[in-house]
Amino acid sequence: MDVLENTTTALRQAEHIMVFTGAGISAESGIPTFRDRLTGLWARHDPQRLETAKAFRENPALVWGWYLWRRQQVLQAQPNAAHRAIARLADGGRQVTVITQNIDDLHERAGSQDVVHLHGSLMIPKCFACHRPAELSAVEQPVPHEGALIEPPRCTRCNGRLRSGVVWFGEDLPAGAWKTAAQTARSCDVMLSIGTSGVVMPAASLPDLALAAGAVVIHINPIDVCMDEPKELMLIGEAGQVLPALIERGLAR
Ligand code: BJW
Ligand code: ZN
């Protein structure tokens, strides 16, 4: 049997599917990944200067402006065929749990329910001092250009500066998110791991947890990211190309 046939069979037989996504699934919506050598965000930007608590302390206006810029990019982007195919996966009556490392809201906008964000969200800022989630004012100033300096608004409770609600290195994952992700990895029959380089912990250990518990792990990525375990399957290609056809076949029980 070939890989496509094996993946289709695994999907058809599964009662509980975990969909685990990374930046690659949103690449075809025009949102850059982090580590892709030519097109990734970090090919052009130093994350130490923009994406750490230290950077925020030293230059809050630069870091706040950076996340508002990225938020604006996401608001202008649309879910792609891969996000939509994942939302359709739940139509077949199976249990589908979407766990994403992404800080965009494209799964939700494509129609997926109860998406777990392991690395936070661009959409819900929080207070740098008291950590409470905050709301952005309904009327937002457009960000004129990348690198714009914009003074962060203040927390209505403690007057601390607002920061983006994403998870920086060294910070804990949002309460409950990791517990749900680990439990889902241990209890699913099939994990679809899509568009992630698998280097950021603890998220990168989720496929191992699923394999150890006996699940089939199907990777979808233009690059071979397989660890060569017996129950791993690798579909090489872009998510927007591979997923719609795969899910169409997998839905027909
Ligand atoms: C396509 C495609 C297409 C392209 N279709 N695919 C154990 C060992 C060593 C270190 C650690 C450890 N435990 C913790 C650490 C430290 C650290 C860490 O992991 N460091 C390593 C890098 C060495 N981790 C942390 O600090 C984490 N916190 C933590 O562990 O707290 C303690 C804790 C422990 C246990 C439970 C709970 C708490 C926090 C990590 C925060 C990550 N933050 C970032 C930045 C967010 C802010 C921002 O955006 O500005 O999150 S880093 C960045 O990487 C971002 C992503 O979510 C994350 C993962 O990246 P992803 O999604 O895989 O993207 P890329 O770019 O790497 O890959 C894209 C892939 O797509 C590629 O494979 C392409 O080929 C593919 N692709 N086009 C399909 N069309
Ligand atoms: Zn506060």
Side-chain angles (χ1 to χ4, degrees), residues 218-240:
I218 302 167
H219 300 275
I220 297 164
N221 200 307
I223 291 172
D224 187 345
V225 290
C226 221
M227 299 167 287
D228 289 330
E229 295 290 329
K231 291 187 106 174
E232 268 188 308
L233 296 163
M234 180 74 228
L235 291 174
I236 302 257
E238 300 201 316

Side-chain angles (χ1 to χ4, degrees), residues 44-67:
R44 295 189 294 124
H45 297 285
D46 175 5
Q48 296 300 328
R49 220 180 115 250
L50 295 163
E51 297 169 5
T52 66
K54 182 168 177 279
F56 185 78
R57 247 180 244 110
E58 287 171 358
N59 200 341
L62 179 71
V63 175
W64 179 254
W66 168 245
Y67 283 102

Side-chain angles (χ1 to χ4, degrees), residues 143-211:
V143 185
H145 57 85
E146 194 179 298
L149 299 179
I150 301 174
E151 209 43 56
R154 295 281 176 168
C155 172
T156 50
R157 304 254 198 144
C158 77
N159 205 37
R161 287 193 170 94
L162 295 193
R163 54 159 283 185
S164 174
V166 305
V167 181
W168 288 322
F169 281 120
E171 295 184 331
D172 279 340
L173 276 49
W178 172 249
K179 203 170 155 212
T180 305
Q183 270 170 359
T184 308
R186 288 196 188 97
S187 60
C188 67
D189 308 307
V190 169
M191 175 192 282
L192 288 170
S193 175
I194 307 158
T196 178
S197 56
V199 295
V200 174
M201 296 299 259
S205 65
L206 290 169
D208 306 321
L209 289 184
L211 287 168

